[in-house]
Amino acid sequence: MLIPPELLPGGVVLRLVSLDDAEALHAAYVTNWKHLAPWEPRRPDSFFTVAGQAERIAGRLQEFTHGRIVPWVCEGEGSIVGTITLSGLVFGPFRSAYLGYWVAADRQNQGLAGSAVASICRAARDIIGLHRVEATTLLDNAPSQRVLEKNGFEPIGVAPRYLHINGQWRDHRLFQRILHDAPPSD
């Protein structure tokens, strides 16, 4: 699947992750650890190493070749300033995936998350051939909920104890975006 890079606001390039990104992702996660901690699962110490990121990227690229995920990075001025991933891709009559993303602390409130989500939704529809994308947020993550709603996601419910985040099972608000109403082409 060929997914070309895209230029986002602020000179940020949205592109597929590469094995060459291990060092930059390591630096991004170390720099943003405190910023991300309330919204993410607890990570083993190895996650915060270059080798740990290289292993993680290799696994994600293997999943990409099998059509299960599509992992992107947001790169600005030679640094990773965010990631965005479609995971759990399902085809057939469902044609759906889960969306997850984060943006660096120093890039908040600059439209980067919204632009990246918009781009991913276009790629999901036009390149990958999905019908639906689902995303979840912690109940109190109003900024992420605004990003989703501005991109046409609608709330569809609350899932109790949905994900293990920052050391505990946390309730999440579920959102979906229907990308188009046309029937699948196969």
Side-chain angles (χ1 to χ4, degrees):
M1 174 179 349
L2 180 61
I3 302 175
E6 185 173 333
L7 186 61
L8 301 178
V12 173
V13 175
L14 176 68
R15 61 172 176 76
L16 291 174
V17 73
S18 149
L19 284 173
D20 295 334
D21 291 323
E23 193 168 326
L25 270 171
H26 161 258
Y29 277 113
V30 168
T31 300
N32 288 282
W33 177 81
K34 286 184 182 178
H35 165 66
L36 296 174
W39 318 111
E40 294 223 331
R42 291 198 176 148
R43 309 285 192 180
D45 290 342
S46 62
F47 182 87
F48 297 97
T49 66
V50 174
Q53 285 303 310
E55 183 177 322
R56 184 169 182 257
I57 292 168
R60 289 180 162 242
L61 291 174
Q62 183 71 21
E63 288 184 85
F64 175 70
T65 62
H66 289 101
R68 292 191 289 257
I69 72 166
V70 185
W72 286 269
V73 293
C74 298
E75 181 181 27
E77 299 172 5
S79 298
I80 302 296
V81 297
T83 68
I84 188 163
T85 303
L86 287 174
S87 62
L89 275 77
V90 177
F91 294 96
F94 192 37
R95 294 185 179 269
S96 185
Y98 297 99
L99 173 72
Y101 60 91
W102 65 265
V103 172
D106 65 350
R107 296 292 184 117
Q108 297 289 301
N109 302 311
Q110 297 175 18
L112 181 56
S115 295
V117 169
S119 178
I120 293 325
C121 287
R122 281 190 304 276
R125 181 191 62 220
D126 299 340
I127 298 171
I128 303 168
L130 297 180
H131 166 70
R132 175 185 178 274
V133 175
E134 182 174 322
T136 66
T137 70
L138 289 169
L139 298 182
D140 60 347
N141 191 345
S144 194
Q145 292 168 17
R146 280 192 303 276
V147 165
L148 294 171
E149 288 171 346
K150 285 180 179 180
N151 274 284
F153 284 77
E154 56 189 345
I156 57 172
V158 172
R161 299 169 303 282
Y162 184 70
L163 289 174
H164 201 258
I165 299 295
N166 197 20
Q168 58 184 306
W169 291 102
R170 305 279 305 274
D171 298 349
H172 279 67
R173 188 168 317 283
L174 281 64
F175 292 83
Q176 73 173 4
R177 177 172 169 190
I178 303 302
L179 301 171
H180 52 63
D181 292 322
S185 60
D186 62 6

